[in-house]
Amino acid sequence: MSALGELVADLVVRGALNGATLSNPRTPDAGSPRRVTVDPVVVRRAHRYRVRRHLAKRTTDEIVDPEAVAELVVELVGAEFRQCLLHAPDADWQVLAGGKHEPRILRRPPTRPVASLSHDRAKRRLLADGKPVPFLVELGVQTPEGRVRDKAQDKFRQVNRFLELVDDVLPALPAAGRLRVVDFGSGKSYLTFALHHLLTQVRGREVDIVGLDLKEDVVAACADLAERLAAEGLRFELGDIASYEALDGVDLVVSLHACDTATDAALDRAIAARARVVLAVPCCQHELLQQLDSETLRPLVRHGTLRERFVAEVTDAARARLLELAGYDVQVVEFVPLEHTPKNVLLRATRRARKRSKAETDRLATEYRTFADALGIEPALERALRSRTVIA
């Protein structure tokens, strides 16, 4: 039995396998999983494992016996994935597989000392009410004892939802080394500090996170808070998104509530830097209000309120397709429910390991051109990408 086989078998036999994530597929394509996650569950009072395959547009679940999960993990690492992270109460085990040699196995500090065995779809919260988190206490979301203040309940839900969405894409980021992150338009930085907390305190990663904003007083206040919290690897800078150039080697670009075409500028900067992952929550999509021109949709767009709502959807749909044409897989997901904020759409893009075929690219481009021409629009992101010949 291989060293990996012995390790996984031992963890399973001892009931110590708290989870696993397999990533970096050997031959990525639309029909194969981009990653596979394994989690312990209790089904009808019996210990089992849920194997979840994450495909481009859907996920599939399978419940397997402990004996079968050990064989499955070893098989997948050998045949389909180059990386695997095994969680146990006392340690994480990072597995790096390449070529014909035995996989390298590295021991890391544990990030999942306790496994959740519930098979129910319980609400997942990376930050718990009742457990004080220093940055949330400083920002007034929690009391010093950890209770979420009544007026900050929506903010607490927003922060937790954001962390869930970030945690989901961590397998698409480098498994080792310092993570380089840029947050465009960081503002008061609730979510920037949350991101730092997740990566450093929860996932044990080294980081270099830059929060960029145009307001000098906001940048100064955030820098002061980072210093008080001793937030290593987190800094704030004064600057404009469109002219920001310090993006070499960036892994993750975040743009939350950047107004109107500032979101397009952030997406363009991320694409130019070949960021591995982009997370954007657009805001105030006004640019296309004057451009939109469709006789067919006249009964809809002649009403100001309906026109604004429709334009917001059109803008995000265009951005999603343009990101795809620039080499990303894109999901449009709900950020937080509408009752908490109208800005509830998040564009989540991960850079593809392999280029799309010419036929697939041509199909996406034709669909986009038909869509844009029918509505008479030319979004800022399209103009930016065309100027750099990213798209034709």
Side-chain angles (χ1 to χ4, degrees):
M1 183 181 291
S2 67
L4 174 60
E6 291 179 355
L7 172 61
V8 179
D10 176 66
L11 293 176
V12 170
V13 169
R14 294 191 289 113
L17 183 63
N18 285 350
T21 299
L22 296 99
S23 59
N24 195 359
R26 291 181 180 274
T27 56
D29 59 64
S32 301
R34 293 181 296 177
R35 63 187 174 101
V36 172
T37 53
V38 177
D39 294 291
V41 294
V42 172
V43 180
R44 297 178 182 175
R45 300 184 180 180
H47 187 78
R48 299 286 187 268
Y49 284 90
R50 180 186 63 211
V51 178
R52 176 166 290 173
R53 292 173 171 83
H54 300 259
L55 292 95
K57 296 184 179 180
R58 62 191 178 93
T59 60
T60 64
D61 285 357
E62 177 185 8
I63 303 299
V64 300
D65 293 334
E67 297 78 9
V69 82
E71 295 180 5
L72 179 63
V73 168
V74 174
E75 178 185 344
L76 290 175
V77 170
E80 298 185 29
F81 295 93
R82 293 188 178 90
Q83 294 183 9
C84 176
L85 184 63
L86 303 169
H87 298 283
D90 57 341
D92 282 358
W93 302 91
Q94 183 181 352
V95 182
L96 304 174
K100 299 179 181 179
H101 301 290
E102 279 283 312
R104 284 196 302 139
I105 303 175
L106 308 173
R107 183 183 176 117
R108 306 288 190 194
T111 59
R112 197 180 296 181
V114 179
S116 172
L117 300 180
S118 173
H119 187 46
D120 299 329
R121 294 185 177 271
K123 185 174 292 186
R124 177 165 66 107
R125 282 190 169 178
L126 291 160
L127 303 177
D129 189 353
K131 182 178 180 180
V133 179
F135 83 91
L136 290 178
V137 174
E138 288 284 347
L139 291 170
V141 175
Q142 288 182 319
T143 66
E145 296 74 34
R147 181 181 64 81
V148 177
R149 300 181 188 276
D150 292 341
K151 64 179 182 180
Q153 289 291 337
D154 286 352
K155 179 62 69 176
F156 185 70
R157 280 188 286 267
Q158 183 190 55
V159 170
N160 258 303
R161 175 60 174 156
F162 174 66
L163 293 185
E164 290 175 21
L165 294 168
V166 174
D167 207 44
D168 284 344
V169 298
L170 288 187
L173 298 174
R178 180 173 298 169
L179 290 175
R180 178 92 199 282
V181 182
V182 175
D183 183 355
F184 283 129
S186 52
K188 293 182 179 179
S189 301
Y190 287 88
L191 300 182
T192 318
F193 282 101
L195 180 60
H196 180 271
H197 177 84
L198 170 69
L199 294 176
T200 61
Q201 303 303 308
V202 180
R203 298 300 177 218
R205 299 299 302 271
E206 287 186 83
V207 298
D208 175 17
I209 301 177
V210 178
L212 188 76
D213 202 87
L214 283 170
K215 298 178 180 178
E216 189 173 356
D217 58 333
V218 171
V219 170
C222 292
D224 178 65
L225 177 56
E227 185 176 354
R228 294 203 309 274
L229 293 172
E232 186 174 350
L234 174 61
R235 67 185 191 278
F236 294 88
E237 296 180 3
L238 187 69
D240 179 64
I241 295 172
S243 59
Y244 189 76
E245 297 292 341
L247 287 165
D248 288 345
V250 68
D251 298 303
L252 170 63
V253 169
V254 178
S255 174
L256 306 175
H257 303 144
C259 285
D260 201 18
T261 56
T263 293
D264 299 286
L267 296 178
D268 180 51
R269 294 285 80 216
I271 292 168
R274 293 179 57 80
R276 291 172 181 259
V277 176
V278 185
L279 300 175
V281 177
C283 180
C284 310
Q285 296 100 316
H286 295 317
E287 184 205 13
L288 301 187
L289 276 173
Q290 301 305 316
Q291 293 186 27
L292 188 66
D293 185 19
S294 170
E295 286 294 331
T296 303
L297 297 175
R298 188 72 61 205
L300 168 67
V301 300
R302 73 185 185 89
H303 299 284
T305 299
L306 296 178
R307 185 183 182 91
E308 286 189 15
R309 293 179 182 176
F310 182 66
V311 161
E313 306 297 342
V314 167
T315 304
D316 290 336
R319 287 165 172 161
R321 177 49 55 88
L322 290 165
L323 280 163
E324 289 175 330
L325 290 171
Y328 287 79
D329 288 320
V330 183
Q331 294 175 307
V332 180
V333 299
E334 184 181 69
F335 184 27
V336 288
L338 275 171
E339 63 264 27
H340 302 308
T341 174
K343 283 49 170 208
N344 76 321
V345 168
L346 181 137
L347 304 178
R348 183 166 62 182
T350 55
R351 184 159 56 85
R352 293 174 60 87
R354 189 172 64 179
K355 289 184 178 180
R356 290 185 172 88
S357 67
K358 184 178 185 304
E360 176 70 1
T361 300
D362 289 346
R363 182 186 66 80
L364 295 176
T366 299
E367 286 182 357
Y368 174 75
R369 191 72 272 143
T370 302
F371 169 77
D373 289 348
L375 296 173
I377 61 170
E378 187 185 35
L381 182 58
E382 178 187 344
R383 300 193 301 273
L385 295 180
R386 185 177 292 113
S387 71
R388 295 192 294 103
T389 66
V390 176
I391 61 173

